[in-house]
Amino acid sequence: MSDMIFRPGLEGVPVTKSSICDIDGNKGELRYRGYPIAELASQSSFLETAYLLIWGNLPNPQQLRDFEKEVQMHRRVSFRVRDMMKCFPATGHPMDALQSSAASLGLFYSRRAIDNPQYVYDAVVRLIAKIPTMVAAFQLIRKGQDPIQPRDDLPYSSNFLYMLTEREQDPLAARVFDRCLILHAEHSLNASTFSARVTASTLTDPYAVVASAVGTLAGPLHGGANEDVIEMLQEIGTPNKAGAFLDKAIANKRKIMGFGHREYRVKDPRASILQVLAEELFARFGKDDLYDVAIAVEKEAANRLGTKGIYPNVDFYSGLVYRKLGISRDLFTPVFAISRVAGWLAHWREQLGANRIFRPSQIYTGVKSRSWNPPEERSSSKETKLKTSHP
Ligand code: COA
């Protein structure tokens, strides 16, 4: 056992075979099921892309109409889920609310039917349909308002923005939002997707799979980074302060949020597309002053971090887009989850297709063998307590 190779963070260790998403981190290329991300982001819709990811091929017109219709019919959530959400503390993070409400769906739909294709289809439809409704519902509930019911006459993204903001959006805003969902829908074996696959490998229900992935996505090194990017840009304040900020952060070994990626050594292709989307919104609805700060950070960071292959990732410009769409900062990661559920479900299906439960090994570094001794013979120093309770 001692000659096992340990790779922290499983870097470079394949843990599955997958035909869903392909990344070339040196060229900055990303493809879903073979289709370049830029093509999907400009030509497809989120629901079409979700179908592609989950079922493997682009739908024909009838399949797409059926899928859109099914998703539309399942947008509502039970009043019991809404009532449960009303008991959540208004100060709680919306990701925690989403994780709990996604898990609660497992209470309503029968478990352990994952061999039944109809159950799988229905679960896919329900999760894609209901997650946006739950995100929007918590946003209103925490403001002391009743959730807004989904509108059947509005397409998927317009309906979400309507439920969230209580008004119909400009078609450009809805289209930009839909393209953001396409960009975030899948990214191979990132932490939340890995989490989803590990959970799926136990053959539990898909609601538990998604709830576990939501919990993983919530962390600041993963989906939570775009919240921190906005905070960082606000802290920098003006473009001329970007260089000094970076120098200080790098000297203090502080990570620059929205930069760096395990897979990419160049600028994340999604960051480039999001930057264009931000500019489209600014041209129509007015510029966000933080955009100039972001541009300055990207330029200054290239001189300081570029040699290490650290460039903007997907989170660097997405927050600026969401701000312009009127989405509050702590909803950025729930919005990410609305989209990434498509990738999680694709991996859920793929995992079930060739399942073996995940059970990695470890290299044990603890004490080899000890004998129990009575409490009065044990050391009572604080240091020992800390060491034994948190090795
Ligand atoms: N700012 C400054 N330095 C960074 C950096 C960043 N954002 N990201 C990585 N680095 C540096 C590390 O300090 C380390 O340098 P060293 O070798 O001199 O010690 C090196 O690059 C490798 O970093 P590491 O954290 O080991 O890379 P990773 O592959 O484990 O982590 C991330 C990838 C995404 C977690 C990491 O880049 C990060 O924390 N980025 C900021 C958070 C973020 O934007 N997350 C969203 C990801 S989509």
Side-chain angles (χ1 to χ4, degrees):
M1 294 292 267
S2 57
D3 58 356
M4 285 192 301
I5 298 169
F6 169 47
R7 295 197 195 281
L10 294 178
E11 181 167 4
V13 179
V15 294
T16 189
K17 291 184 176 179
S18 179
S19 60
I20 301 170
C21 172
D22 190 22
I23 299 169
D24 184 328
N26 292 318
K27 292 189 187 153
E29 288 178 358
L30 166 62
R31 288 165 194 271
Y32 296 166
R33 301 278 190 193
Y35 295 95
I37 190 66
E39 231 170 85
L40 291 170
S42 63
Q43 307 297 327
S44 185
S45 68
F46 171 66
L47 285 185
E48 184 185 69
T49 300
Y51 188 103
L52 166 72
L53 287 166
I54 297 165
W55 310 107
N57 289 303
L58 284 170
N60 65 32
Q62 187 59 47
Q63 288 168 326
L64 182 59
R65 270 196 300 276
D66 290 349
F67 188 55
E68 287 172 343
K69 185 83 195 145
E70 298 266 359
V71 169
Q72 186 209 79
M73 277 164 44
H74 284 90
R75 282 172 183 169
R76 283 172 178 70
V77 293
S78 159
F79 75 92
R80 292 174 201 277
V81 175
R82 295 200 303 271
D83 285 354
M84 177 190 76
M85 293 174 88
K86 287 178 185 166
C87 299
F88 294 167
T91 50
H93 196 287
M95 278 302 270
D96 296 327
L98 179 60
Q99 189 184 23
S100 310
S101 40
S104 79
L105 294 179
L107 293 161
F108 294 91
Y109 307 107
S110 67
R111 296 170 75 99
R112 301 205 180 91
I114 54 177
D115 293 337
N116 177 341
Q118 190 61 46
Y119 172 86
V120 170
Y121 185 81
D122 290 347
V124 163
V125 164
R126 283 191 180 110
L127 279 158
I128 288 183
K130 292 183 194 306
I131 283 188
T133 309
M134 295 189 299
V135 170
F138 185 65
Q139 172 67 358
L140 294 196
I141 288 170
R142 69 177 173 162
K143 291 197 283 183
Q145 297 166 11
D146 273 331
I148 296 181
Q149 288 298 321
R151 272 214 359 223
D152 286 348
D153 60 320
L154 293 178
Y156 185 84
S157 286
S158 309
N159 174 61
F160 171 69
L161 293 173
Y162 164 74
M163 290 189 298
L164 192 68
T165 61
E166 305 170 76
R167 57 191 161 81
E168 259 189 68
Q169 295 287 324
D170 182 284
L172 175 73
R175 177 63 187 141
V176 164
F177 183 74
D178 202 66
R179 295 174 76 186
C180 290
L181 296 184
I182 295 171
L183 293 173
H184 287 84
E186 160 62 9
H187 210 233
S188 77
L189 262 282
N190 55 85
S192 60
T193 302
F194 184 42
S195 180
R197 285 193 84 124
V198 171
T199 309
S201 80
T202 69
L203 304 186
T204 187
D205 70 74
Y207 307 100
V209 168
V210 167
S212 105
V214 169
T216 311
L217 183 69
L221 293 186
H222 191 3
N226 53 7
E227 282 188 48
D228 297 336
V229 170
I230 297 298
E231 200 174 340
M232 180 185 76
L233 297 177
Q234 283 169 334
E235 186 187 334
I236 296 170
T238 53
N240 61 337
K241 295 191 181 143
F245 174 89
L246 291 172
D247 286 337
K248 195 169 164 203
I250 293 166
N252 293 334
K253 300 212 169 300
R254 175 177 166 187
K255 290 263 178 77
I256 314 303
M257 299 318 278
F259 275 76
H261 201 282
R262 181 70 63 77
E263 294 288 323
Y264 295 111
R265 292 292 158 262
V266 294
K267 186 170 175 178
D268 185 327
R270 300 166 301 172
S272 305
I273 300 171
L274 281 159
Q275 188 172 357
V276 173
L277 295 182
E279 284 172 1
E280 279 179 28
L281 287 177
F282 298 154
R284 176 74 152 268
F285 304 112
K287 195 155 126 196
D288 184 331
D289 287 344
L290 290 183
Y291 184 57
D292 288 335
V293 184
I295 297 285
V297 170
E298 179 175 354
K299 186 163 161 270
E300 297 290 343
N303 303 328
R304 292 162 172 85
L305 297 169
T307 49
K308 286 172 110 180
I310 297 166
Y311 288 97
N313 61 44
V314 69
D315 288 310
F316 193 60
Y317 288 107
S318 61
L320 290 172
V321 173
Y322 296 149
R323 254 163 75 95
K324 202 72 219 170
L325 291 172
I327 296 173
S328 62
R329 206 168 78 192
D330 62 0
L331 287 183
F332 293 175
T333 318
V335 162
F336 191 160
I338 289 174
S339 160
R340 186 54 61 84
V341 71
W344 295 331
L345 291 169
H347 282 269
W348 170 56
R349 285 198 67 238
E350 191 175 63
Q351 182 64 34
L352 295 185
N355 191 50
R356 190 166 187 217
I357 191 166
F358 278 100
R359 204 324 179 178
S361 307
Q362 62 165 19
I363 298 169
Y364 178 67
T365 59
V367 178
K368 194 73 190 157
S369 173
R370 293 199 269 192
S371 296
W372 185 91
N373 58 350
E376 57 279 13
E377 288 176 21
R378 298 173 204 162
S379 162
S380 62
S381 84
K382 194 173 173 199
E383 198 190 334
T384 313
K385 255 194 238 159
L386 285 174
K387 269 192 178 160
T388 50
S389 63
H390 249 302

